[in-house]
C-alpha cells in the first residue's frame, strides 16, 4: 500500500463529512445483545466448545454467512449489507442495511432471529435484551481476540472503562442529512435530546447480581470512560460547521494507526493535529488514519456520513423499534424538529450536561431547574407521534409501547427486574 506524503488539510478532512449529504431519509440500526447462559444469566465466553465463536460458526453454515476475520480469528459474520459482529465482551451486534421504514428493519431482524435464536436455544444460550450483563462482571469476561479491542482496553482510562467495554450493550440509530446545515441542526438537536432519551429507555440496573441503585448503569459507565473521547462532542453551537467537528477530532489523542496490517501503538502520546504536523516515528498522517481515529471517538452523538445516535441501553424489541420511531418522527419532519428545539430551548449546555450526569441514577425522575425529565419525554413523544400521524406513516404504531409506559413515569427497567435477577 502506498501512503501519500502530502500533509492533510482541513478541507480534505471535512470532505469526508460532505460525502454524507444525501436526499434519502433512511434509518440505520445497530442492535447489541448479551449472550448469557439460560440457567443463571452469566455471560457466555467467546472461547470454548460452546462459546460464542463456535455458535457463530454454526450459524454461518446454517444461514450462509461469511466470516469477518481479524488475522485468523473470527470476529463476526457478513451477508451482503448486513453484519453480525462482536463487541469486546462477546456482546453480539446486529448491523442492518439502512431502510426507509422501521417495518423493513423489523422484517430483516425477524428473518435473522428466526435462525439465530433457535440455534442459541439449542445450547441453552439466550440473547438478553438488557443494557449490562446482569451477573458477570469484567473481571471474569475475557476480551475477544480482536487486536483493536486489546489496544483500546490498554489505553482507555476512566474508572468504569472496563465495564463499558466488556459488560454493556446498547442500541445505535443512524439518521441521514441533506447538507451541512441540516447535519449540524440534527447533530445539535440529537445532543440536546440525548439525556432525555437515555432516561426514557433506561434498562441496566442489576449488575453483578445486585441492584446498583442506578437505572442505567450503562449510562454511568460511559460517564466514567475517557472523557477526552466520550461525552458530548460539542457545545451545541448553532453556527457550528463540519470544520469545527474536525478541529475537535484533531485535539483528541491517538490510540494507534495501522500500516500494512501492523498496529503502531500511539497510546495517546500525541493528538491528530500534531501527527499531521510532525508525523510519528517516520509515519505521515493519511486520510485512512483520520477515518480510523474518528471511529475511535465515542461521543453520545457521533458525526459520520450520517448522524450516529449512541445513547440507548439495549431494550426488548418492542421498545427498540420505538426508539427508531421517535427519531423518524422528529428528524424527518422540519416542523417536529422546530417543536423539539423550542421545547428544549429553556435548557443551556450546562443544564443538558446536568441532566446527563443525573439520568443514570434517576432516569425519568431527574430534575433540573425545576423541570422533570419525565415531563419532557412526554412532550418529545407527543411531537414525534403527531409528526408520524400527520404523514400517515404506519411506523407511528411502533411508538405505542414506549408511550404507554412513559405515561406512567416508567422506563423499561421498571418492568424488567424479574427477567435479569
Amino acid at each position: 500500500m502506498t501512503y501519500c506524503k502530502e500533509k492533510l488539510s482541513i478541507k480534505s478532512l471535512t470532505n469526508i463529512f460532505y460525502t454524507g449529504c444525501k436526499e434519502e431519509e433512511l434509518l440505520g440500526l445497530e442492535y447489541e445483545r448479551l449472550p448469557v447462559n439460560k440457567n443463571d444469566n452469566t455471560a457466555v465466553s467467546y472461547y470454548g466448545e460452546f462459546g460464542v465463536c463456535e455458535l457463530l460458526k454454526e450459524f454461518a453454515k446454517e444461514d450462509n454467512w461469511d466470516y469477518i476475520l481479524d488475522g485468523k480469528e473470527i470476529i463476526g459474520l457478513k451477508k451482503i449489507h448486513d453484519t453480525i459482529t462482536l463487541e469486546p465482551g462477546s456482546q453480539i451486534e446486529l448491523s442492518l442495511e439502512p431502510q426507509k421504514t422501521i417495518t423493513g428493519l423489523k422484517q430483516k431482524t425477524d428473518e435473522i432471529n428466526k435462525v439465530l435464536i433457535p440455534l442459541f436455544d439449542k445450547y441453552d444460550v439466550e440473547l438478553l435484551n438488557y443494557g449490562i450483563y446482569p451477573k458477570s462482571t469484567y473481571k471474569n469476561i475475557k476480551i475477544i481476540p480482536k487486536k483493536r479491542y486489546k489496544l483500546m482496553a490498554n489505553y482507555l482510562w476512566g474508572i468504569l472503562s472496563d465495564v463499558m467495554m466488556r459488560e454493556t450493550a446498547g442500541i445505535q440509530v443512524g439518521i441521514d442529512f441533506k447538507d451541512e446545515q441540516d447535519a449540524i441542526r440534527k447533530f445539535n438537536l440529537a445532543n440536546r435530546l440525548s439525556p432525555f432519551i437515555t432516561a426514557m429507555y433506561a434498562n441496566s440496573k442489576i449488575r453483578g447480581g445486585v441492584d446498583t441503585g442506578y437505572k442505567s448503569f450503562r449510562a454511568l459507565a460511559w460517564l466514567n470512560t475517557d472523557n477526552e473521547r466520550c461525552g458530548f462532542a460539542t457545545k451545541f453551537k448553532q453556527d457550528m460547521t463540519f470544520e469545527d467537528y474536525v478541529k475537535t477530532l484533531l485535539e483528541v489523542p491517538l490510540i494507534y494507526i495501522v500500516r500494512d496490517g501492523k498496529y503502531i501503538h500511539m497510546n495517546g502520546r500525541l493528538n491528530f493535529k500534531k501527527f499531521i504536523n510532525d508525523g510519528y516515528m517516520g509515519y505521515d498522517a493519511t486520510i485512512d488514519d483520520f477515518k480510523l481515529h474518528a471511529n475511535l471517538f465515542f461521543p453520545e452523538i457521533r458525526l459520520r456520513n450520517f448522524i450516529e445516535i449512541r445513547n440507548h441501553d439495549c431494550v426488548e424489541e418492542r421498545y427498540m423499534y420505538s426508539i427508531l420511531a421517535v427519531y423518524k418522527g422528529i428528524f424527518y419532519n422540519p416542523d417536529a424538529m422546530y417543536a423539539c428545539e423550542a421545547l428544549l430551548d429553556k435548557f443551556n449546555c450546562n443544564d443538558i450536561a446536568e441532566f446527563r450526569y443525573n439520568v443514570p441514577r434517576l432516569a425519568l425522575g431527574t430534575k433540573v431547574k425545576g423541570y422533570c425529565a419525565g415531563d419532557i419525554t412526554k412532550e418529545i413523544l407527543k411531537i414525534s407521534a403527531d409528526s408520524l400521524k400527520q404523514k400517515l406513516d404506519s411506523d407511528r404504531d411502533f411508538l405505542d409501547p414506549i408511550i404507554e409506559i412513559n405515561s406512567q413515569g416508567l422506563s423499561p427497567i421498571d418492568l424488567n427486574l424479574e427477567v435479569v435477577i
Side-chain angles (χ1 to χ4, degrees), residues 47-59:
Y47 305 90
E49 182 181 358
F50 302 111
V52 170
C53 179
E54 293 301 318
L55 293 176
L56 288 186
K57 284 182 183 178
E58 188 165 342
F59 173 76

Side-chain angles (χ1 to χ4, degrees), residues 43 93 147 190 195 211 227 271 280 292 316 342 362 389 399 417:
E93 178 181 273
K147 298 183 185 72
D211 186 334
N227 62 21
N271 61 27
Y280 179 76
L292 172 62
E316 60 182 282
L362 301 171
K389 184 177 179 180
L399 284 175
L417 284 177

Side-chain angles (χ1 to χ4, degrees), residues 116-397:
L116 187 66
I117 299 301
L119 173 64
F120 277 60
D121 282 344
K122 186 168 72 173
Y123 295 98
D124 288 326
V125 173
E126 178 183 2
L127 290 180
L128 194 63
N129 292 290
Y130 190 61
I132 197 165
Y133 279 115
K135 294 290 183 67
S136 304
T137 66
Y138 69 89
K139 292 182 180 180
N140 47 36
I141 298 174
K142 291 183 179 180
I143 290 182
I144 73 167
K146 183 176 180 177
K147 298 183 185 72
R148 162 178 166 155
Y149 291 159
K150 292 180 178 179
L151 291 172
M152 287 170 56
N154 289 331
Y155 175 79
L156 292 178
W157 53 274
I159 60 173
L160 295 179
S161 61
D162 285 319
V163 174
M164 179 280 291
M165 285 192 67
R166 303 192 200 192
E167 296 183 32
T168 63
I171 291 167
Q172 299 175 21
V173 176
I175 299 293
D176 286 327
F177 53 81
K178 299 181 186 303
D179 52 33
E180 183 177 27
Q181 183 180 10
D182 186 47
I184 298 306
R185 185 183 181 193
K186 288 173 177 172
F187 180 81
N188 283 334
L189 180 55
N191 273 285
R192 288 183 171 275
L193 285 167
S194 64
F196 304 103
I197 309 296
T198 297
M200 197 187 304
Y201 291 97
N203 193 38
S204 51
K205 190 174 189 181
I206 304 299
R207 172 185 178 258
V210 301
D211 186 334
T212 64
Y214 289 85
K215 292 199 172 186
S216 178
F217 202 90
R218 175 185 174 275
L220 180 72
W222 277 104
L223 271 179
N224 289 276
T225 297
D226 196 342
N227 62 21
E228 290 179 312
R229 66 186 66 243
C230 303
F232 292 121
T234 70
K235 299 297 183 182
F236 324 141
K237 295 179 180 178
Q238 291 185 351
D239 60 351
M240 176 186 159
T241 62
F242 286 157
E243 182 174 324
D244 292 323
Y245 189 83
V246 167
K247 288 179 177 178
T248 297
L249 282 167
L250 293 179
E251 299 299 325
V252 176
L254 280 149
I255 299 179
Y256 67 90
I257 58 173
V258 180
R259 289 293 184 273
D260 298 320
K262 181 182 178 182
Y263 286 69
I264 313 300
H265 302 193
M266 316 287 269
N267 291 323
R269 295 187 184 96
L270 70 168
N271 61 27
F272 206 92
K273 182 178 180 180
K274 186 171 177 59
F275 183 34
I276 290 175
N277 291 335
D278 302 337
Y280 179 76
M281 295 181 61
Y283 299 107
D284 294 309
T286 71
I287 284 286
D288 286 340
D289 291 331
F290 183 77
K291 290 178 180 177
L292 172 62
H293 179 62
N295 201 39
L296 292 168
F297 185 51
F298 306 114
E300 299 282 286
I301 314 299
R302 184 159 62 179
L303 185 60
R304 305 178 71 175
N305 57 0
F306 56 92
I307 307 295
E308 184 181 73
I309 309 174
R310 304 164 37 81
N311 54 289
H312 324 93
D313 284 356
C314 178
V315 289
E316 60 182 282
E317 286 189 22
R318 58 180 174 155
Y319 298 125
M320 183 259 285
Y321 295 121
S322 76
I323 297 174
L324 293 157
V326 170
Y327 293 126
K328 184 180 186 184
I330 292 170
F331 287 110
Y332 292 149
N333 182 335
D335 291 337
M337 286 184 65
Y338 176 80
C340 278
E341 289 164 342
L343 173 67
L344 300 178
D345 190 53
K346 60 179 72 73
F347 304 119
N348 61 31
C349 184
N350 290 334
D351 298 330
I352 297 295
E354 187 176 348
F355 269 114
R356 176 64 183 89
Y357 182 81
N358 289 301
V359 150
R361 181 183 292 277
L362 301 171
L364 296 175
T366 305
K367 291 184 178 179
V368 173
K369 289 174 65 173
Y371 293 94
C372 182
D375 294 332
I376 302 298
T377 57
K378 288 184 180 69
E379 293 300 317
I380 292 169
L381 287 172
K382 184 178 185 305
I383 291 168
S384 182
D386 288 348
S387 170
L388 293 172
K389 184 177 179 180
Q390 176 188 348
K391 289 187 171 185
L392 302 178
D393 191 327
S394 61
D395 282 344
R396 157 66 185 80
D397 294 342

